[in-house]
């Protein structure tokens, strides 16, 4: 095992188990998670997912999302979109081929919620855009969101529940 693989493996062992995530989620609903917008900046690599109501990780979905290098990039950007200050990019890829959805988001409340929308889809190969199209913005009440549950004190991992009820865990890349 290389030193890079060993470091990655040791980071995985420091992630909270599903029961701990559920406790953190209950606490975040009552007291808030304390997650602030500036701590979200960066590239978050997908690690694990749990379907709604399940205590065991969805092994197949987690494996596929890791295999396809699923990631979530969040970047605070001020300017013309002050009501939606986060740029959000959700992507999957294999090798040099990447499918990416980009848009805007914001934080609301103390848990907080991260409602967002995508306004563009792009397919690229080796950083060269092959195809890109705008996406219609959904109505506000139909937009997806993440309820941010917890973040490691060192900002190494992030846990959130999506609008569809699934629980996700990311590792800061």
């Amino acid at each position: 095992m290389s030193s890079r693989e060993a470091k990655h493996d040791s980071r995985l062992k420091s992630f909270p188990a599903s029961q701990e995530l559920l406790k953190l989620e209950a606490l975040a609903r009552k007291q808030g998670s304390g997650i602030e917008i500036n701590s979200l900046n960066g590239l978050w690599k997908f690690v694990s997912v749990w379907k709604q109501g399940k205590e065991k990780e969805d092994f197949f979905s987690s494996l596929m999302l890791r295999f396809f290098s699923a990631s979530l990039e969040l970047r605070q950007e001020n300017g013309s979109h002050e009501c939606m200050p986060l740029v959000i990019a959700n992507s999957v890829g294999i090798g040099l081929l990447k499918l990416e959805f980009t848009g805007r988001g914001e934080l609301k409340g103390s848990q907080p919620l991260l409602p967002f929308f995508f306004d563009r889809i792009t397919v690229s190969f080796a950083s060269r855009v092959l195809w890109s199209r705008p996406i219609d913005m959904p109505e506000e009440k139909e937009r997806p969101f993440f309820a941010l549950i917890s973040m490691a004190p060192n900002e190494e991992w992030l846990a959130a529940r999506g609008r569809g009820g699934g629980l996700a865990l990311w590792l800061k890349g």
Side-chain angles (χ1 to χ4, degrees):
M1 181 182 307
S2 72
S3 63
R4 182 177 156 198
E5 290 170 328
K7 181 181 177 188
H8 182 72
D9 187 55
S10 69
R11 286 171 63 177
L12 290 177
K13 290 177 185 173
S14 68
F15 289 156
S18 61
Q19 286 299 320
E20 187 179 346
L21 286 173
L22 293 176
K23 288 177 185 175
L24 289 168
E25 181 177 29
L27 187 64
R29 285 184 176 166
K30 290 179 185 172
Q31 301 176 0
S33 67
I35 296 173
E36 296 181 4
I37 196 167
N38 58 341
S39 64
L40 294 172
N41 286 314
L43 179 66
W44 297 91
K45 295 180 180 181
F46 178 81
V47 176
S48 299
V49 69
W50 293 263
K51 289 186 178 174
Q52 183 176 12
K54 303 291 182 184
E55 290 185 22
K56 285 189 143 190
E57 177 185 6
D58 183 337
F59 179 76
F60 182 73
S61 295
S62 295
L63 182 66
M64 288 291 95
L65 288 166
R66 285 191 303 266
F67 177 78
F68 288 108
S69 302
S71 66
L72 174 69
E73 185 174 4
L74 298 167
R75 185 176 72 252
Q76 188 175 355
E77 184 179 272
N78 297 320
S80 63
H81 291 89
E82 285 191 29
C83 63
M84 299 292 265
L86 282 172
V87 174
I88 183 169
N90 202 352
S91 66
V92 292
I94 188 162
L96 299 175
L97 186 63
K98 181 165 89 170
L99 171 67
E100 182 174 59
F101 294 87
T102 55
R104 309 285 307 187
E106 65 178 320
L107 289 186
K108 288 184 174 183
S110 64
Q111 184 171 10
L113 288 182
L114 170 57
F116 61 93
F117 63 88
F118 295 120
D119 57 9
R120 179 155 296 278
I121 181 173
T122 304
V123 176
S124 59
F125 184 78
S127 299
R128 182 177 179 200
V129 174
L130 302 175
W131 180 83
S132 183
R133 294 289 180 264
I135 299 172
D136 291 337
M137 188 184 327
E139 295 293 324
E140 189 170 343
K141 64 183 179 185
E142 296 173 3
R143 291 180 186 165
F145 64 81
F146 291 120
L148 302 181
I149 294 169
S150 187
M151 178 183 285
N154 61 2
E155 299 180 2
E156 186 172 56
W157 56 261
L158 172 67
R161 187 170 298 278
R163 181 180 185 139
L167 182 61
L169 185 64
W170 294 273
L171 173 66
K172 196 159 202 178

